[in-house]
PDB file of all heavy atoms in Angstrom:
ATOM      1  N   MET A 688      77.440  74.997 117.129  1.00  0.00           N
ATOM      2  CA  MET A 688      76.868  76.259 117.540  1.00  0.00           C
ATOM      3  C   MET A 688      75.493  76.432 116.911  1.00  0.00           C
ATOM      4  O   MET A 688      75.309  76.242 115.727  1.00  0.00           O
ATOM      5  CB  MET A 688      77.784  77.408 117.108  1.00  0.00           C
ATOM      6  CG  MET A 688      77.261  78.744 117.473  1.00  0.00           C
ATOM      7  SD  MET A 688      78.458  79.995 116.968  1.00  0.00           S
ATOM      8  CE  MET A 688      77.502  81.417 117.297  1.00  0.00           C
ATOM      9  N   VAL A 689      74.526  76.797 117.726  1.00  0.00           N
ATOM     10  CA  VAL A 689      73.175  77.004 117.260  1.00  0.00           C
ATOM     11  C   VAL A 689      72.959  78.489 117.017  1.00  0.00           C
ATOM     12  O   VAL A 689      73.247  79.311 117.880  1.00  0.00           O
ATOM     13  CB  VAL A 689      72.147  76.484 118.297  1.00  0.00           C
ATOM     14  CG1 VAL A 689      70.729  76.788 117.857  1.00  0.00           C
ATOM     15  CG2 VAL A 689      72.341  75.002 118.524  1.00  0.00           C
ATOM     16  N   ASP A 690      72.479  78.827 115.842  1.00  0.00           N
ATOM     17  CA  ASP A 690      72.175  80.218 115.533  1.00  0.00           C
ATOM     18  C   ASP A 690      70.787  80.531 116.045  1.00  0.00           C
ATOM     19  O   ASP A 690      69.882  79.694 115.976  1.00  0.00           O
ATOM     20  CB  ASP A 690      72.227  80.465 114.022  1.00  0.00           C
ATOM     21  CG  ASP A 690      73.633  80.366 113.484  1.00  0.00           C
ATOM     22  OD1 ASP A 690      74.546  80.857 114.171  1.00  0.00           O
ATOM     23  OD2 ASP A 690      73.812  79.805 112.399  1.00  0.00           O
ATOM     24  N   TYR A 691      70.600  81.748 116.525  1.00  0.00           N
ATOM     25  CA  TYR A 691      69.298  82.165 117.010  1.00  0.00           C
ATOM     26  C   TYR A 691      68.688  83.140 116.016  1.00  0.00           C
ATOM     27  O   TYR A 691      69.293  84.144 115.673  1.00  0.00           O
ATOM     28  CB  TYR A 691      69.396  82.841 118.382  1.00  0.00           C
ATOM     29  CG  TYR A 691      68.089  83.488 118.760  1.00  0.00           C
ATOM     30  CD1 TYR A 691      67.005  82.713 119.171  1.00  0.00           C
ATOM     31  CD2 TYR A 691      67.910  84.859 118.663  1.00  0.00           C
ATOM     32  CE1 TYR A 691      65.803  83.288 119.484  1.00  0.00           C
ATOM     33  CE2 TYR A 691      66.702  85.433 118.983  1.00  0.00           C
ATOM     34  CZ  TYR A 691      65.645  84.651 119.388  1.00  0.00           C
ATOM     35  OH  TYR A 691      64.441  85.222 119.692  1.00  0.00           O
ATOM     36  N   TYR A 692      67.523  82.809 115.545  1.00  0.00           N
ATOM     37  CA  TYR A 692      66.735  83.699 114.708  1.00  0.00           C
ATOM     38  C   TYR A 692      65.349  83.779 115.318  1.00  0.00           C
ATOM     39  O   TYR A 692      64.733  82.752 115.585  1.00  0.00           O
ATOM     40  CB  TYR A 692      66.620  83.157 113.285  1.00  0.00           C
ATOM     41  CG  TYR A 692      67.915  83.129 112.527  1.00  0.00           C
ATOM     42  CD1 TYR A 692      68.708  81.984 112.489  1.00  0.00           C
ATOM     43  CD2 TYR A 692      68.343  84.256 111.828  1.00  0.00           C
ATOM     44  CE1 TYR A 692      69.898  81.973 111.773  1.00  0.00           C
ATOM     45  CE2 TYR A 692      69.537  84.251 111.114  1.00  0.00           C
ATOM     46  CZ  TYR A 692      70.296  83.098 111.091  1.00  0.00           C
ATOM     47  OH  TYR A 692      71.471  83.079 110.389  1.00  0.00           O
ATOM     48  N   PRO A 693      64.845  84.975 115.537  1.00  0.00           N
ATOM     49  CA  PRO A 693      63.491  85.078 116.058  1.00  0.00           C
ATOM     50  C   PRO A 693      62.480  84.644 114.989  1.00  0.00           C
ATOM     51  O   PRO A 693      62.707  84.839 113.794  1.00  0.00           O
ATOM     52  CB  PRO A 693      63.349  86.569 116.381  1.00  0.00           C
ATOM     53  CG  PRO A 693      64.347  87.255 115.525  1.00  0.00           C
ATOM     54  CD  PRO A 693      65.471  86.272 115.333  1.00  0.00           C
ATOM     55  N   TRP A 694      61.422  84.031 115.425  1.00  0.00           N
ATOM     56  CA  TRP A 694      60.331  83.660 114.540  1.00  0.00           C
ATOM     57  C   TRP A 694      59.056  83.665 115.373  1.00  0.00           C
ATOM     58  O   TRP A 694      59.096  83.722 116.595  1.00  0.00           O
ATOM     59  CB  TRP A 694      60.576  82.324 113.846  1.00  0.00           C
ATOM     60  CG  TRP A 694      60.728  81.121 114.737  1.00  0.00           C
ATOM     61  CD1 TRP A 694      61.838  80.788 115.465  1.00  0.00           C
ATOM     62  CD2 TRP A 694      59.747  80.128 115.032  1.00  0.00           C
ATOM     63  NE1 TRP A 694      61.611  79.641 116.170  1.00  0.00           N
ATOM     64  CE2 TRP A 694      60.331  79.213 115.921  1.00  0.00           C
ATOM     65  CE3 TRP A 694      58.442  79.910 114.607  1.00  0.00           C
ATOM     66  CZ2 TRP A 694      59.641  78.098 116.399  1.00  0.00           C
ATOM     67  CZ3 TRP A 694      57.759  78.797 115.089  1.00  0.00           C
ATOM     68  CH2 TRP A 694      58.365  77.902 115.960  1.00  0.00           C
ATOM     69  N   ASN A 695      57.919  83.619 114.730  1.00  0.00           N
ATOM     70  CA  ASN A 695      56.647  83.793 115.407  1.00  0.00           C
ATOM     71  C   ASN A 695      56.114  82.491 115.981  1.00  0.00           C
ATOM     72  O   ASN A 695      55.150  81.913 115.453  1.00  0.00           O
ATOM     73  CB  ASN A 695      55.638  84.442 114.451  1.00  0.00           C
ATOM     74  CG  ASN A 695      54.432  84.984 115.158  1.00  0.00           C
ATOM     75  OD1 ASN A 695      54.209  84.713 116.334  1.00  0.00           O
ATOM     76  ND2 ASN A 695      53.642  85.755 114.427  1.00  0.00           N
ATOM     77  N   VAL A 696      56.709  82.034 117.048  1.00  0.00           N
ATOM     78  CA  VAL A 696      56.252  80.806 117.709  1.00  0.00           C
ATOM     79  C   VAL A 696      54.845  81.011 118.278  1.00  0.00           C
ATOM     80  O   VAL A 696      54.070  80.054 118.382  1.00  0.00           O
ATOM     81  CB  VAL A 696      57.258  80.326 118.787  1.00  0.00           C
ATOM     82  CG1 VAL A 696      57.318  81.264 119.953  1.00  0.00           C
ATOM     83  CG2 VAL A 696      56.942  78.908 119.246  1.00  0.00           C
ATOM     84  N   GLN A 697      54.490  82.242 118.592  1.00  0.00           N
ATOM     85  CA  GLN A 697      53.148  82.530 119.117  1.00  0.00           C
ATOM     86  C   GLN A 697      52.067  82.181 118.083  1.00  0.00           C
ATOM     87  O   GLN A 697      51.037  81.598 118.439  1.00  0.00           O
ATOM     88  CB  GLN A 697      53.031  84.012 119.514  1.00  0.00           C
ATOM     89  CG  GLN A 697      51.676  84.363 120.108  1.00  0.00           C
ATOM     90  CD  GLN A 697      51.386  83.629 121.413  1.00  0.00           C
ATOM     91  OE1 GLN A 697      52.212  83.593 122.296  1.00  0.00           O
ATOM     92  NE2 GLN A 697      50.212  83.027 121.511  1.00  0.00           N
ATOM     93  N   ALA A 698      52.302  82.500 116.822  1.00  0.00           N
ATOM     94  CA  ALA A 698      51.333  82.160 115.770  1.00  0.00           C
ATOM     95  C   ALA A 698      51.172  80.647 115.674  1.00  0.00           C
ATOM     96  O   ALA A 698      50.049  80.131 115.546  1.00  0.00           O
ATOM     97  CB  ALA A 698      51.774  82.745 114.437  1.00  0.00           C
ATOM     98  N   LEU A 699      52.281  79.929 115.738  1.00  0.00           N
ATOM     99  CA  LEU A 699      52.231  78.469 115.669  1.00  0.00           C
ATOM    100  C   LEU A 699      51.503  77.900 116.887  1.00  0.00           C
ATOM    101  O   LEU A 699      50.639  77.037 116.749  1.00  0.00           O
ATOM    102  CB  LEU A 699      53.646  77.890 115.582  1.00  0.00           C
ATOM    103  CG  LEU A 699      53.748  76.378 115.501  1.00  0.00           C
ATOM    104  CD1 LEU A 699      52.984  75.820 114.299  1.00  0.00           C
ATOM    105  CD2 LEU A 699      55.204  75.949 115.433  1.00  0.00           C
ATOM    106  N   ALA A 700      51.818  78.399 118.061  1.00  0.00           N
ATOM    107  CA  ALA A 700      51.174  77.916 119.285  1.00  0.00           C
ATOM    108  C   ALA A 700      49.676  78.195 119.280  1.00  0.00           C
ATOM    109  O   ALA A 700      48.879  77.339 119.691  1.00  0.00           O
ATOM    110  CB  ALA A 700      51.820  78.539 120.515  1.00  0.00           C
ATOM    111  N   THR A 701      49.291  79.362 118.803  1.00  0.00           N
ATOM    112  CA  THR A 701      47.855  79.694 118.720  1.00  0.00           C
ATOM    113  C   THR A 701      47.136  78.710 117.813  1.00  0.00           C
ATOM    114  O   THR A 701      46.054  78.218 118.138  1.00  0.00           O
ATOM    115  CB  THR A 701      47.675  81.140 118.220  1.00  0.00           C
ATOM    116  OG1 THR A 701      48.295  82.022 119.151  1.00  0.00           O
ATOM    117  CG2 THR A 701      46.209  81.499 118.063  1.00  0.00           C
ATOM    118  N   TRP A 702      47.751  78.396 116.675  1.00  0.00           N
ATOM    119  CA  TRP A 702      47.145  77.435 115.760  1.00  0.00           C
ATOM    120  C   TRP A 702      47.091  76.034 116.398  1.00  0.00           C
ATOM    121  O   TRP A 702      46.069  75.356 116.316  1.00  0.00           O
ATOM    122  CB  TRP A 702      47.914  77.390 114.446  1.00  0.00           C
ATOM    123  CG  TRP A 702      47.443  76.281 113.568  1.00  0.00           C
ATOM    124  CD1 TRP A 702      46.261  76.203 112.888  1.00  0.00           C
ATOM    125  CD2 TRP A 702      48.119  75.038 113.322  1.00  0.00           C
ATOM    126  NE1 TRP A 702      46.165  75.002 112.233  1.00  0.00           N
ATOM    127  CE2 TRP A 702      47.292  74.280 112.485  1.00  0.00           C
ATOM    128  CE3 TRP A 702      49.346  74.526 113.727  1.00  0.00           C
ATOM    129  CZ2 TRP A 702      47.669  73.020 112.048  1.00  0.00           C
ATOM    130  CZ3 TRP A 702      49.704  73.275 113.277  1.00  0.00           C
ATOM    131  CH2 TRP A 702      48.868  72.532 112.448  1.00  0.00           C
ATOM    132  N   LEU A 703      48.184  75.617 117.055  1.00  0.00           N
ATOM    133  CA  LEU A 703      48.190  74.310 117.717  1.00  0.00           C
ATOM    134  C   LEU A 703      47.080  74.242 118.776  1.00  0.00           C
ATOM    135  O   LEU A 703      46.367  73.244 118.875  1.00  0.00           O
ATOM    136  CB  LEU A 703      49.545  74.034 118.366  1.00  0.00           C
ATOM    137  CG  LEU A 703      50.718  73.780 117.422  1.00  0.00           C
ATOM    138  CD1 LEU A 703      52.024  73.780 118.194  1.00  0.00           C
ATOM    139  CD2 LEU A 703      50.533  72.479 116.660  1.00  0.00           C
ATOM    140  N   LYS A 704      46.935  75.311 119.550  1.00  0.00           N
ATOM    141  CA  LYS A 704      45.890  75.350 120.580  1.00  0.00           C
ATOM    142  C   LYS A 704      44.504  75.265 119.956  1.00  0.00           C
ATOM    143  O   LYS A 704      43.610  74.613 120.502  1.00  0.00           O
ATOM    144  CB  LYS A 704      46.016  76.624 121.417  1.00  0.00           C
ATOM    145  CG  LYS A 704      47.220  76.609 122.332  1.00  0.00           C
ATOM    146  CD  LYS A 704      47.407  77.939 123.044  1.00  0.00           C
ATOM    147  CE  LYS A 704      48.694  77.951 123.839  1.00  0.00           C
ATOM    148  NZ  LYS A 704      48.992  79.254 124.441  1.00  0.00           N
ATOM    149  N   SER A 705      44.312  75.892 118.793  1.00  0.00           N
ATOM    150  CA  SER A 705      43.009  75.815 118.125  1.00  0.00           C
ATOM    151  C   SER A 705      42.729  74.395 117.626  1.00  0.00           C
ATOM    152  O   SER A 705      41.597  73.927 117.669  1.00  0.00           O
ATOM    153  CB  SER A 705      42.898  76.829 116.991  1.00  0.00           C
ATOM    154  OG  SER A 705      43.705  76.465 115.899  1.00  0.00           O
ATOM    155  N   GLU A 706      43.751  73.709 117.161  1.00  0.00           N
ATOM    156  CA  GLU A 706      43.588  72.313 116.733  1.00  0.00           C
ATOM    157  C   GLU A 706      43.219  71.441 117.928  1.00  0.00           C
ATOM    158  O   GLU A 706      42.347  70.569 117.834  1.00  0.00           O
ATOM    159  CB  GLU A 706      44.887  71.788 116.091  1.00  0.00           C
ATOM    160  CG  GLU A 706      45.175  72.368 114.734  1.00  0.00           C
ATOM    161  CD  GLU A 706      44.214  71.883 113.666  1.00  0.00           C
ATOM    162  OE1 GLU A 706      44.119  70.659 113.440  1.00  0.00           O
ATOM    163  OE2 GLU A 706      43.545  72.744 113.053  1.00  0.00           O
ATOM    164  N   ILE A 707      43.870  71.683 119.053  1.00  0.00           N
ATOM    165  CA  ILE A 707      43.580  70.915 120.272  1.00  0.00           C
ATOM    166  C   ILE A 707      42.174  71.240 120.769  1.00  0.00           C
ATOM    167  O   ILE A 707      41.413  70.350 121.146  1.00  0.00           O
ATOM    168  CB  ILE A 707      44.658  71.180 121.339  1.00  0.00           C
ATOM    169  CG1 ILE A 707      46.001  70.581 120.874  1.00  0.00           C
ATOM    170  CG2 ILE A 707      44.253  70.627 122.695  1.00  0.00           C
ATOM    171  CD1 ILE A 707      47.222  71.035 121.669  1.00  0.00           C
ATOM    172  N   ALA A 708      41.793  72.512 120.735  1.00  0.00           N
ATOM    173  CA  ALA A 708      40.455  72.921 121.166  1.00  0.00           C
ATOM    174  C   ALA A 708      39.371  72.342 120.267  1.00  0.00           C
ATOM    175  O   ALA A 708      38.244  72.099 120.723  1.00  0.00           O
ATOM    176  CB  ALA A 708      40.355  74.446 121.177  1.00  0.00           C
ATOM    177  N   ALA A 709      39.701  72.083 119.005  1.00  0.00           N
ATOM    178  CA  ALA A 709      38.748  71.500 118.067  1.00  0.00           C
ATOM    179  C   ALA A 709      38.605  69.990 118.253  1.00  0.00           C
ATOM    180  O   ALA A 709      37.849  69.347 117.535  1.00  0.00           O
ATOM    181  CB  ALA A 709      39.168  71.820 116.635  1.00  0.00           C
ATOM    182  N   GLY A 710      39.338  69.439 119.220  1.00  0.00           N
ATOM    183  CA  GLY A 710      39.160  68.026 119.539  1.00  0.00           C
ATOM    184  C   GLY A 710      40.349  67.124 119.250  1.00  0.00           C
ATOM    185  O   GLY A 710      40.310  65.939 119.579  1.00  0.00           O
ATOM    186  N   LYS A 711      41.386  67.653 118.637  1.00  0.00           N
ATOM    187  CA  LYS A 711      42.576  66.826 118.400  1.00  0.00           C
ATOM    188  C   LYS A 711      43.346  66.685 119.700  1.00  0.00           C
ATOM    189  O   LYS A 711      43.606  67.670 120.392  1.00  0.00           O
ATOM    190  CB  LYS A 711      43.506  67.491 117.382  1.00  0.00           C
ATOM    191  CG  LYS A 711      43.075  67.369 115.969  1.00  0.00           C
ATOM    192  CD  LYS A 711      43.841  66.269 115.296  1.00  0.00           C
ATOM    193  CE  LYS A 711      43.580  66.334 113.804  1.00  0.00           C
ATOM    194  NZ  LYS A 711      43.677  65.054 113.178  1.00  0.00           N
ATOM    195  N   LYS A 712      43.694  65.487 120.045  1.00  0.00           N
ATOM    196  CA  LYS A 712      44.580  65.250 121.183  1.00  0.00           C
ATOM    197  C   LYS A 712      46.009  65.533 120.728  1.00  0.00           C
ATOM    198  O   LYS A 712      46.357  65.348 119.566  1.00  0.00           O
ATOM    199  CB  LYS A 712      44.469  63.793 121.644  1.00  0.00           C
ATOM    200  CG  LYS A 712      43.062  63.378 122.028  1.00  0.00           C
ATOM    201  CD  LYS A 712      42.807  63.690 123.465  1.00  0.00           C
ATOM    202  CE  LYS A 712      41.502  63.059 123.898  1.00  0.00           C
ATOM    203  NZ  LYS A 712      40.538  64.010 124.372  1.00  0.00           N
ATOM    204  N   ARG A 713      46.833  65.993 121.664  1.00  0.00           N
ATOM    205  CA  ARG A 713      48.216  66.333 121.300  1.00  0.00           C
ATOM    206  C   ARG A 713      48.958  65.160 120.666  1.00  0.00           C
ATOM    207  O   ARG A 713      49.655  65.365 119.662  1.00  0.00           O
ATOM    208  CB  ARG A 713      48.953  66.898 122.518  1.00  0.00           C
ATOM    209  CG  ARG A 713      50.167  67.691 122.095  1.00  0.00           C
ATOM    210  CD  ARG A 713      50.757  68.522 123.191  1.00  0.00           C
ATOM    211  NE  ARG A 713      51.183  67.693 124.304  1.00  0.00           N
ATOM    212  CZ  ARG A 713      51.335  68.121 125.545  1.00  0.00           C
ATOM    213  NH1 ARG A 713      51.097  69.373 125.843  1.00  0.00           N
ATOM    214  NH2 ARG A 713      51.726  67.312 126.495  1.00  0.00           N
ATOM    215  N   PRO A 714      48.823  63.922 121.184  1.00  0.00           N
ATOM    216  CA  PRO A 714      49.510  62.801 120.512  1.00  0.00           C
ATOM    217  C   PRO A 714      49.025  62.578 119.078  1.00  0.00           C
ATOM    218  O   PRO A 714      49.823  62.270 118.191  1.00  0.00           O
ATOM    219  CB  PRO A 714      49.193  61.593 121.405  1.00  0.00           C
ATOM    220  CG  PRO A 714      48.836  62.174 122.732  1.00  0.00           C
ATOM    221  CD  PRO A 714      48.196  63.491 122.441  1.00  0.00           C
ATOM    222  N   GLU A 715      47.731  62.748 118.851  1.00  0.00           N
ATOM    223  CA  GLU A 715      47.174  62.582 117.501  1.00  0.00           C
ATOM    224  C   GLU A 715      47.709  63.673 116.558  1.00  0.00           C
ATOM    225  O   GLU A 715      48.024  63.406 115.405  1.00  0.00           O
ATOM    226  CB  GLU A 715      45.648  62.662 117.517  1.00  0.00           C
ATOM    227  CG  GLU A 715      44.966  61.547 118.266  1.00  0.00           C
ATOM    228  CD  GLU A 715      43.491  61.820 118.488  1.00  0.00           C
ATOM    229  OE1 GLU A 715      42.992  62.938 118.185  1.00  0.00           O
ATOM    230  OE2 GLU A 715      42.811  60.908 118.995  1.00  0.00           O
ATOM    231  N   LEU A 716      47.758  64.883 117.078  1.00  0.00           N
ATOM    232  CA  LEU A 716      48.255  65.999 116.283  1.00  0.00           C
ATOM    233  C   LEU A 716      49.740  65.799 115.952  1.00  0.00           C
ATOM    234  O   LEU A 716      50.161  66.011 114.815  1.00  0.00           O
ATOM    235  CB  LEU A 716      48.034  67.308 117.039  1.00  0.00           C
ATOM    236  CG  LEU A 716      48.360  68.607 116.312  1.00  0.00           C
ATOM    237  CD1 LEU A 716      47.604  68.700 114.990  1.00  0.00           C
ATOM    238  CD2 LEU A 716      48.035  69.805 117.198  1.00  0.00           C
ATOM    239  N   ALA A 717      50.493  65.347 116.932  1.00  0.00           N
ATOM    240  CA  ALA A 717      51.916  65.074 116.703  1.00  0.00           C
ATOM    241  C   ALA A 717      52.090  64.017 115.622  1.00  0.00           C
ATOM    242  O   ALA A 717      52.933  64.155 114.729  1.00  0.00           O
ATOM    243  CB  ALA A 717      52.582  64.638 118.005  1.00  0.00           C
ATOM    244  N   GLU A 718      51.276  62.984 115.672  1.00  0.00           N
ATOM    245  CA  GLU A 718      51.351  61.925 114.675  1.00  0.00           C
ATOM    246  C   GLU A 718      50.959  62.439 113.288  1.00  0.00           C
ATOM    247  O   GLU A 718      51.633  62.153 112.299  1.00  0.00           O
ATOM    248  CB  GLU A 718      50.459  60.753 115.069  1.00  0.00           C
ATOM    249  CG  GLU A 718      50.576  59.566 114.143  1.00  0.00           C
ATOM    250  CD  GLU A 718      49.753  58.376 114.594  1.00  0.00           C
ATOM    251  OE1 GLU A 718      49.529  58.207 115.802  1.00  0.00           O
ATOM    252  OE2 GLU A 718      49.329  57.614 113.715  1.00  0.00           O
ATOM    253  N   ALA A 719      49.888  63.202 113.229  1.00  0.00           N
ATOM    254  CA  ALA A 719      49.431  63.739 111.950  1.00  0.00           C
ATOM    255  C   ALA A 719      50.469  64.679 111.336  1.00  0.00           C
ATOM    256  O   ALA A 719      50.669  64.702 110.113  1.00  0.00           O
ATOM    257  CB  ALA A 719      48.098  64.464 112.117  1.00  0.00           C
ATOM    258  N   LEU A 720      51.125  65.450 112.185  1.00  0.00           N
ATOM    259  CA  LEU A 720      52.161  66.367 111.717  1.00  0.00           C
ATOM    260  C   LEU A 720      53.496  65.681 111.469  1.00  0.00           C
ATOM    261  O   LEU A 720      54.387  66.240 110.850  1.00  0.00           O
ATOM    262  CB  LEU A 720      52.376  67.496 112.748  1.00  0.00           C
ATOM    263  CG  LEU A 720      51.303  68.550 112.836  1.00  0.00           C
ATOM    264  CD1 LEU A 720      51.473  69.383 114.093  1.00  0.00           C
ATOM    265  CD2 LEU A 720      51.342  69.439 111.602  1.00  0.00           C
ATOM    266  N   GLN A 721      53.646  64.476 112.006  1.00  0.00           N
ATOM    267  CA  GLN A 721      54.904  63.736 111.961  1.00  0.00           C
ATOM    268  C   GLN A 721      56.015  64.526 112.664  1.00  0.00           C
ATOM    269  O   GLN A 721      57.155  64.612 112.195  1.00  0.00           O
ATOM    270  CB  GLN A 721      55.293  63.393 110.517  1.00  0.00           C
ATOM    271  CG  GLN A 721      54.268  62.526 109.830  1.00  0.00           C
ATOM    272  CD  GLN A 721      54.592  62.275 108.385  1.00  0.00           C
ATOM    273  OE1 GLN A 721      55.392  62.959 107.764  1.00  0.00           O
ATOM    274  NE2 GLN A 721      53.961  61.255 107.819  1.00  0.00           N
ATOM    275  N   ILE A 722      55.626  65.111 113.799  1.00  0.00           N
ATOM    276  CA  ILE A 722      56.545  65.878 114.638  1.00  0.00           C
ATOM    277  C   ILE A 722      56.411  65.321 116.046  1.00  0.00           C
ATOM    278  O   ILE A 722      55.284  65.160 116.535  1.00  0.00           O
ATOM    279  CB  ILE A 722      56.196  67.387 114.615  1.00  0.00           C
ATOM    280  CG1 ILE A 722      56.397  67.951 113.192  1.00  0.00           C
ATOM    281  CG2 ILE A 722      57.036  68.169 115.625  1.00  0.00           C
ATOM    282  CD1 ILE A 722      55.932  69.378 113.014  1.00  0.00           C
ATOM    283  N   PRO A 723      57.516  65.002 116.723  1.00  0.00           N
ATOM    284  CA  PRO A 723      57.427  64.438 118.063  1.00  0.00           C
ATOM    285  C   PRO A 723      56.597  65.309 119.017  1.00  0.00           C
ATOM    286  O   PRO A 723      56.664  66.542 118.960  1.00  0.00           O
ATOM    287  CB  PRO A 723      58.879  64.364 118.520  1.00  0.00           C
ATOM    288  CG  PRO A 723      59.677  64.339 117.269  1.00  0.00           C
ATOM    289  CD  PRO A 723      58.907  65.178 116.277  1.00  0.00           C
ATOM    290  N   GLU A 724      55.828  64.662 119.859  1.00  0.00           N
ATOM    291  CA  GLU A 724      54.956  65.372 120.787  1.00  0.00           C
ATOM    292  C   GLU A 724      55.718  66.331 121.699  1.00  0.00           C
ATOM    293  O   GLU A 724      55.235  67.414 122.006  1.00  0.00           O
ATOM    294  CB  GLU A 724      54.156  64.372 121.631  1.00  0.00           C
ATOM    295  CG  GLU A 724      53.100  65.038 122.466  1.00  0.00           C
ATOM    296  CD  GLU A 724      52.283  64.046 123.279  1.00  0.00           C
ATOM    297  OE1 GLU A 724      52.458  62.829 123.122  1.00  0.00           O
ATOM    298  OE2 GLU A 724      51.480  64.529 124.097  1.00  0.00           O
ATOM    299  N   HIS A 725      56.941  65.964 122.102  1.00  0.00           N
ATOM    300  CA  HIS A 725      57.687  66.851 122.994  1.00  0.00           C
ATOM    301  C   HIS A 725      58.045  68.170 122.300  1.00  0.00           C
ATOM    302  O   HIS A 725      58.181  69.202 122.953  1.00  0.00           O
ATOM    303  CB  HIS A 725      58.933  66.157 123.560  1.00  0.00           C
ATOM    304  CG  HIS A 725      60.064  65.985 122.600  1.00  0.00           C
ATOM    305  ND1 HIS A 725      60.130  64.921 121.710  1.00  0.00           N
ATOM    306  CD2 HIS A 725      61.149  66.746 122.372  1.00  0.00           C
ATOM    307  CE1 HIS A 725      61.227  65.035 120.987  1.00  0.00           C
ATOM    308  NE2 HIS A 725      61.869  66.134 121.365  1.00  0.00           N
ATOM    309  N   ILE A 726      58.162  68.147 120.976  1.00  0.00           N
ATOM    310  CA  ILE A 726      58.424  69.379 120.223  1.00  0.00           C
ATOM    311  C   ILE A 726      57.176  70.270 120.249  1.00  0.00           C
ATOM    312  O   ILE A 726      57.273  71.485 120.455  1.00  0.00           O
ATOM    313  CB  ILE A 726      58.846  69.081 118.774  1.00  0.00           C
ATOM    314  CG1 ILE A 726      60.134  68.261 118.724  1.00  0.00           C
ATOM    315  CG2 ILE A 726      58.958  70.376 117.956  1.00  0.00           C
ATOM    316  CD1 ILE A 726      61.365  68.978 119.246  1.00  0.00           C
ATOM    317  N   LEU A 727      56.007  69.661 120.052  1.00  0.00           N
ATOM    318  CA  LEU A 727      54.758  70.441 120.123  1.00  0.00           C
ATOM    319  C   LEU A 727      54.628  71.078 121.500  1.00  0.00           C
ATOM    320  O   LEU A 727      54.273  72.262 121.617  1.00  0.00           O
ATOM    321  CB  LEU A 727      53.535  69.564 119.849  1.00  0.00           C
ATOM    322  CG  LEU A 727      53.420  68.898 118.489  1.00  0.00           C
ATOM    323  CD1 LEU A 727      52.073  68.201 118.358  1.00  0.00           C
ATOM    324  CD2 LEU A 727      53.628  69.893 117.368  1.00  0.00           C
TER     325      LEU A 727
END
């Protein structure tokens, strides 16, 4: 069973978008974060 807790995914997405806008490609960002690209 997965528990649901709200969290601020919008803040994370805004930051991810700013990293991408600054020139990071999503695969590069995923690698740097060590988080699979599909999660991003």
Side-chain angles (χ1 to χ4, degrees):
M688 179 178 172
V689 176
D690 292 320
Y691 170 75
Y692 293 95
W694 61 283
N695 195 348
V696 68
Q697 182 63 48
L699 180 58
T701 299
W702 172 72
L703 290 170
K704 289 174 186 174
S705 71
E706 288 290 301
I707 293 167
K711 283 260 191 209
K712 302 272 190 239
R713 200 167 60 203
E715 295 169 353
L716 187 55
E718 185 176 331
L720 286 167
Q721 299 176 343
I722 296 173
E724 188 178 354
H725 74 276
I726 299 294
L727 297 186

